């Protein structure tokens, strides 16, 4: 069964209610550049939640590792150089690696898969369309990989046909940036089930 990660959560109420809905992972963006930004201190209020929690970071890996509570996974949502990947191996943390959904990133995908069991295929730019052919090829060999990129109630079935290990949604289940629509999440969970 495909799992669901809801990302870009910016309120404590949404986090609690999404946990009650049995969403599989909750993501919180800890980079100030995002309209869904939450401070690292906010993550400490979530420690009582028992499902996997993810701190999504774009810029400073060492800072994210240092400031993210130990019960969180850390999602690095950008392309890393080899030195940054080496840094990650020195910490006993679980990571989710972002890989752009494009054939040209196949060598990077292999590096990411060697580093962690958690990889997210996502759009390189929000304006891009998902390359579902590429995603399909990857998922045939790596069914544990997650997929994201503009997923919503209208197109989720296209993504589910690929049988990813998990899907990552944010904008597709929002009323506005950071405020999740619980009815949309419920309906999405019904489609996934």
């Amino acid at each position: 069964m495909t799992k669901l990660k809801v990302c870009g959560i910016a309120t404590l109420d949404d986090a609690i209610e999404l946990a009650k809905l049995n969403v599989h992972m909750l993501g919180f963006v800890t980079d100030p550049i995002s309209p869904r930004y939450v401070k690292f201190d906010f993550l400490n209020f979530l420690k009582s939640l028992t499902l996997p929690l993810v701190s999504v970071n774009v810029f400073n890996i060492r800072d994210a590792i240092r400031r993210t509570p130990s019960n969180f996974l850390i999602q690095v949502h950008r392309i890393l150089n080899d030195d940054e990947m080496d840094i990650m191996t020195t910490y006993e943390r679980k990571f989710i690696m972002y890989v752009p959904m494009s054939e040209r990133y196949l060598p990077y995908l292999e590096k990411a898969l060697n580093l962690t069991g958690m990889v997210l295929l996502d759009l390189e730019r929000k304006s891009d369309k998902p390359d579902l052919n590429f995603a399909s090829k990857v998922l045939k060999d790596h069914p544990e990989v997650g997929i994201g990129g503009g997923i919503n109630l209208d197109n989720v079935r296209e993504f589910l046909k690929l049988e990813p290990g998990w899907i990552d949604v944010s904008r597709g289940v929002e009323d506005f940036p950071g405020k999740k629509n619980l009815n949309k999440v419920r309906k999405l969970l019904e489609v996934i089930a």
Side-chain angles (χ1 to χ4, degrees), residues 5-9 24-30 38 43 46 51-57 68-69 71-77 93-97 118 120 166 168:
K5 174 180 173 249
V6 176
C7 199
I9 301 162
H24 301 99
M25 286 186 276
L26 302 180
F28 305 88
V29 181
T30 54
V38 297
L43 303 181
L46 306 166
L51 70 164
L53 304 170
V54 181
S55 171
V56 181
N57 191 277
T68 300
N71 62 316
F72 275 71
L73 288 92
I74 298 173
Q75 179 176 324
V76 183
H77 205 82
R93 297 298 298 262
K94 291 185 179 181
F95 294 94
I96 297 174
M97 298 282 300
M118 297 283 296
L120 172 65
W166 48 288
D168 190 314

Side-chain angles (χ1 to χ4, degrees), residues 74-144:
I74 298 173
Q75 179 176 324
V76 183
H77 205 82
R78 69 175 170 86
I79 301 296
L80 300 177
N81 62 41
D82 289 341
D83 290 339
E84 291 171 316
M85 288 179 139
D86 287 343
I87 289 169
M88 292 171 61
T89 64
T90 64
Y91 293 91
E92 291 188 28
R93 297 298 298 262
K94 291 185 179 181
F95 294 94
I96 297 174
M97 298 282 300
Y98 153 79
V99 177
M101 195 183 314
S102 168
E103 289 278 347
R104 68 187 176 125
Y105 289 99
L106 196 53
Y108 184 75
L109 172 66
E110 294 304 322
K111 287 181 181 181
L113 286 165
N114 287 330
L115 186 64
T116 180
M118 297 283 296
V119 170
L120 172 65
L121 295 177
D122 202 345
L123 302 178
E124 186 170 9
R125 290 172 297 278
K126 289 179 185 176
S127 60
D128 289 349
K129 290 190 175 190
D131 184 345
L132 297 183
N133 289 328
F134 173 70
S136 177
K137 291 176 192 174
V138 170
L139 290 165
K140 282 182 182 168
D141 293 330
H142 304 284
E144 73 282 4

Side-chain angles (χ1 to χ4, degrees), residues 177-190:
K179 176 63 182 138
K180 303 308 174 192
N181 182 311
L182 298 177
N183 286 327
K184 287 181 180 179
V185 175
R186 278 188 198 94
K187 289 177 183 173
L188 200 60
L189 285 166
E190 288 172 10

Side-chain angles (χ1 to χ4, degrees), residues 9-23:
I9 301 162
T11 70
L12 185 57
D13 286 343
D14 279 355
I16 291 168
E17 292 305 314
L18 289 166
K20 288 178 186 175
L21 290 178
N22 294 320
V23 169

